[in-house]
């Protein structure tokens, strides 16, 4: 009989190898296949690590155990006990000759989707049954890569002496200006869900020097595209005594190290996804916004200095810039109030976007660190400095020159995994039409 203590002593399918031959083991997972063949029953059991073949031989197990194995519903949660033997099955070195099976939880039939992926389902159906879909090695590979990316990013941050912080997500004031905010009732007052940690991370540089945060943010954007969600995860950094070039270098290092770590630690997952990931060439190409406009004009697009680079423009640019590249020095009018403007040209800001192909992965810049200048910038963009008094006050406490960026984690994982729709790389995506599960 299998009890809770015994489940704790289980081994993972991927750990089983020839060194276990002759030993009794316990595995816990979900039944993928059941094939009764006369006096034999072949079961395949998948756990989070991989798959193992299990054989029941009539006469070797009690009659009721044999019957349980024969009738077990696919995808039920089971615990198997038995001896490890050499396997004749293709691609497997060992299998388990079972003496016991316990069905912990029977799976219904039919299930809303086929988690083996043999029967394909639409994205919507898969998202409706997300927890079940994650039994599919293809889907779980995406989230193992996402996990590896997060670990790697944290390591790069620590190597660069950044401190991890957590800033509020229920806020009383817009960080990126007034648009695109979700509002809520906060004990009778109007509050908002944070669009970014922008103002907090800037404030923290005046004491903690270098901070980073990995968190969820909210944008009430109506756009329904394959690269926007209303709830997304951003990796944010802010560094005191730094300019945009300094933080661009950290961004490049973060991207390259993450790719290397994913190549090293997720070989199997990349193979499952058929993703041919490569370490990009460094330093990443850099072009100014003005150069991008010239290039686009030369290609026949009707575009002027001051126009935003929409999808059509970015797609056109990406024909010549396939790998990672920075677009720097955007018009001041296209960037938020907190971005510094060039000393010699008020029309241009100390800003950058990191692109891959036509996907914007990150944006950042040198910040305005002078209080008067910041007040003027707020007025220039039609915001009232009075609404920002809590933020402005810190600028008289010895605010250092500082710079930073925000990297869209979900978009970065799209790149790492080769997924074309952001919903594939987010466990429970939130878009205009999806609030559940
Ligand atoms: P920005 O608004 O450009 O900059 O956001 C930074 C990065 O976050 C990602 N992103 C999104 N991903 C999915 N769905 C969305 N709706 C979405 N919106 C943004 C993008 C983008 O490049 N405070 C600044 C950053 C800074 O200057 O430090 C900011 O929020 O990949």
């Amino acid at each position: 009989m299998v009890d809770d203590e015994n489940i704790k002593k289980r081994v993972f399918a991927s750990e089983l190898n020839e060194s276990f031959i002759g030993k009794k083991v316990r595995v816990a997972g979900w039944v993928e296949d059941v094939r009764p063949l006369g006096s034999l029953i072949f079961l395949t059991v998948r756990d989070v690590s991989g798959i193992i073949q299990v054989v029941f031989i009539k006469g070797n197990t009690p009659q009721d155990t044999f019957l349980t194995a024969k009738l077990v519903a696919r995808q039920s949660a089971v615990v198997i006990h038995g001896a490890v033997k050499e396997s004749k099955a293709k691609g497997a070195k060992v299998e388990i000759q079972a003496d016991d099976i316990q069905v912990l939880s029977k799976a219904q039939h039919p299930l809303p989707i086929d988690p083996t992926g043999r029967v394909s389902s639409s994205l919507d159906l898969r998202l409706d049954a997300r927890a079940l879909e994650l039994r599919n090695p293809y889907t779980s590979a995406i989230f193992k890569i996402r996990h590896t990316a997060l670990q790697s990013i944290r390591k790069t941050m620590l190597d660069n002496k950044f401190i991890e912080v957590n800033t509020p997500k229920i806020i009383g004031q817009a960080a990126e200006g007034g648009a695109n905010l979700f509002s809520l009732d906060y004990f009778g007052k109007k509050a908002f869900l944070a669009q970014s940690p922008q103002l907090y991370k800037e404030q923290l540089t005046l004491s903690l020097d270098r901070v980073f945060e990995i968190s969820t943010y909210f944008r009430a954007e109506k756009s329904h595209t394959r690269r926007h969600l209303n709830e997304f995860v951003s990796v944010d950094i802010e560094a005191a005594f730094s300019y945009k070039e300094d933080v661009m270098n950290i961004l490049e290092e973060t991207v390259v190290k993450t790719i290397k770590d994913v190549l090293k630690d997720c070989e199997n997952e990349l193979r499952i996804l058929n993703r041919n990931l490569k370490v990009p060439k460094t330093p990443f190409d850099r072009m100014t916004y003005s150069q991008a406009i010239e290039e686009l004009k030369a290609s026949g697009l009707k575009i002027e200095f001051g126009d935003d680079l929409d999808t059509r423009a970015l797609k056109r640019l990406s024909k010549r810039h396939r790998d990672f590249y920075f677009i720097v020095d955007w018009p001041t009018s296209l960037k938020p109030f907190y971005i510094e403007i060039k000393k010699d040209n008020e029309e241009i800001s100390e800003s950058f976007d990191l692109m891959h192909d036509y996907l914007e992965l990150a944006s950042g810049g040198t910040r305005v660190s002078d209080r008067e200048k910041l007040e003027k910038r707020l007025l220039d963009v039609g915001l009232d400095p009075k609404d920002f008094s809590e933020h402005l006050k810190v600028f008289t406490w010895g605010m250092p020159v500082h710079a930073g960026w925000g990297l869209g984690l979900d978009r970065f994982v799209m790149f790492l995994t080769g997924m074309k729709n952001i919903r594939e790389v987010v466990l429970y995506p939130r878009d205009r039409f999806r609030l559940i599960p």
Side-chain angles (χ1 to χ4, degrees):
M1 196 56 200
V2 183
D3 60 28
D4 288 350
E5 266 316 298
N6 284 332
I7 295 177
K8 286 183 195 148
K9 287 185 204 141
R10 71 186 172 120
V11 289
F12 285 100
S14 65
E15 289 169 348
L16 292 173
N17 56 29
E18 288 100 326
S19 72
F20 279 85
I21 288 175
K23 290 193 182 131
K24 292 269 186 175
V25 294
R26 200 160 255 121
V27 292
W30 298 273
V31 176
E32 191 151 298
D33 260 325
V34 190
R35 281 175 294 125
L37 279 176
S39 59
L40 300 175
I41 302 164
F42 292 96
L43 244 68
T44 42
V45 175
R46 184 179 289 285
D47 65 19
V48 71
S49 74
I51 197 159
I52 183 84
Q53 172 156 279
V54 179
V55 191
F56 288 83
I57 304 172
K58 202 170 190 169
N60 274 15
T61 51
Q63 181 67 21
D64 58 338
T65 306
F66 193 76
L67 208 61
T68 304
K70 191 171 176 179
L71 298 178
V72 64
R74 284 186 176 80
Q75 296 302 329
S76 297
V78 295
V79 178
I80 303 281
H81 183 261
V84 178
K85 303 267 162 162
E86 199 181 325
S87 177
K88 292 194 183 71
K90 216 175 117 202
K93 294 206 169 79
V94 293
E95 61 189 30
I96 297 174
Q97 198 172 303
D99 48 50
D100 196 13
I101 175 169
Q102 190 187 20
V103 181
L104 298 183
S105 172
K106 182 173 180 277
Q108 71 175 50
H109 182 77
L111 286 164
I113 57 153
D114 171 16
T116 69
R118 276 175 229 146
V119 182
S120 59
S121 300
S122 69
L123 177 62
D124 268 328
L125 273 180
R126 289 190 287 114
L127 290 177
D128 286 344
R130 193 54 140 172
L132 178 62
E133 199 215 355
L134 287 161
R135 282 189 201 154
N136 185 333
Y138 187 89
T139 314
S140 64
I142 296 170
F143 292 94
K144 286 179 193 167
I145 291 174
R146 187 176 168 118
H147 158 80
T148 302
L150 279 167
Q151 303 308 310
S152 174
I153 292 169
R154 283 206 161 86
K155 186 167 180 312
T156 307
M157 290 300 126
L158 302 184
D159 289 348
N160 281 285
K161 299 195 166 51
F162 282 82
I163 298 182
E164 183 159 10
V165 296
N166 306 105
T167 62
K169 303 300 159 239
I170 302 179
I171 55 166
Q173 155 195 69
E176 306 280 333
N180 298 337
L181 277 168
F182 284 111
S183 60
L184 60 113
D185 176 67
Y186 191 73
F187 305 113
K189 272 196 197 136
K190 195 166 181 179
F192 307 98
L193 295 180
Q195 304 155 297
S196 85
Q198 187 63 36
L199 307 187
Y200 292 107
K201 67 174 180 171
E202 284 194 54
Q203 294 182 17
L204 292 173
T205 62
L206 69 81
S207 42
L208 298 178
D209 203 309
R210 295 183 150 215
V211 295
F212 81 100
E213 178 164 16
I214 303 178
S215 188
T216 303
Y217 296 97
F218 309 90
R219 305 240 171 134
E221 286 161 353
K222 290 235 167 80
S223 50
H224 193 72
T225 78
R226 282 143 61 106
R227 56 186 194 288
H228 287 93
L229 287 175
N230 297 99
E231 182 182 279
F232 69 100
V233 173
S234 171
V235 179
D236 275 89
I237 77 157
E238 203 63 32
F241 310 107
S242 299
Y243 296 90
K244 79 168 189 291
E245 285 75 18
D246 305 312
V247 293
M248 284 165 75
N249 289 338
I250 296 172
L251 181 53
E252 186 175 298
E253 179 186 335
T254 306
V255 166
V256 172
K257 280 199 174 156
T258 307
I259 294 171
K260 285 185 178 164
D261 281 343
V262 167
L263 282 167
K264 179 164 66 69
D265 297 341
C266 301
E267 214 182 314
N268 193 32
E269 285 72 25
L270 291 169
R271 194 176 37 73
I272 291 172
L273 297 178
N274 204 11
R275 173 79 176 120
N276 181 18
L277 189 65
K278 289 206 172 79
V279 179
K281 152 178 112 34
T282 50
F284 296 165
D285 282 347
R286 285 157 161 72
M287 69 161 121
T288 63
Y289 166 90
S290 300
Q291 283 167 339
I293 295 293
E294 289 315 311
E295 209 176 295
L296 289 168
K297 274 185 180 162
S299 78
L301 198 74
K302 275 189 95 179
I303 194 160
E304 294 301 328
F305 182 94
D307 291 345
D308 207 353
L309 302 182
D310 60 11
T311 311
R312 202 164 62 114
L314 291 173
K315 278 193 169 160
R316 202 172 272 219
L317 271 185
S318 71
K319 283 195 181 132
R320 290 187 55 195
H321 308 272
R322 290 232 151 264
D323 216 353
F324 290 92
Y325 62 102
F326 285 108
I327 305 178
V328 301
D329 300 351
W330 289 71
T332 307
S333 60
L334 291 179
K335 287 291 171 184
F337 64 87
Y338 50 79
I339 296 276
E340 186 62 282
I341 42 189
K342 286 225 180 275
K343 283 202 178 75
D344 52 355
N345 186 350
E346 287 215 340
E347 272 188 33
I348 299 180
S349 64
E350 296 283 2
S351 55
F352 62 86
D353 279 9
L354 176 67
M355 307 293 305
H356 181 271
D357 206 347
Y358 71 96
L359 197 62
E360 177 204 312
L361 293 178
S363 70
T366 309
R367 319 302 189 182
V368 179
S369 50
D370 175 79
R371 180 185 167 136
E372 270 174 39
K373 233 188 198 176
L374 192 56
E375 272 187 45
K376 184 175 174 304
R377 289 288 297 131
L378 282 165
L379 288 169
D380 285 350
V381 300
L383 291 168
D384 186 350
K386 278 201 213 83
D387 294 338
F388 289 82
S389 56
E390 277 304 305
H391 182 55
L392 288 166
K393 75 179 184 201
V394 315
F395 283 70
T396 53
W397 297 345
M399 176 59 98
V401 56
H402 56 285
W405 43 255
L407 164 70
L409 179 77
D410 314 300
R411 290 190 184 176
F412 188 34
V413 178
M414 283 171 77
F415 159 77
L416 293 169
T417 56
M419 293 298 123
K420 298 285 173 252
N421 190 328
I422 195 165
R423 290 160 188 78
E424 298 281 4
V425 307
V426 174
L427 283 173
Y428 296 99
R430 293 286 176 259
D431 63 31
R432 239 169 99 197
F433 306 105
R434 183 172 283 279
L435 193 52
I436 49 167

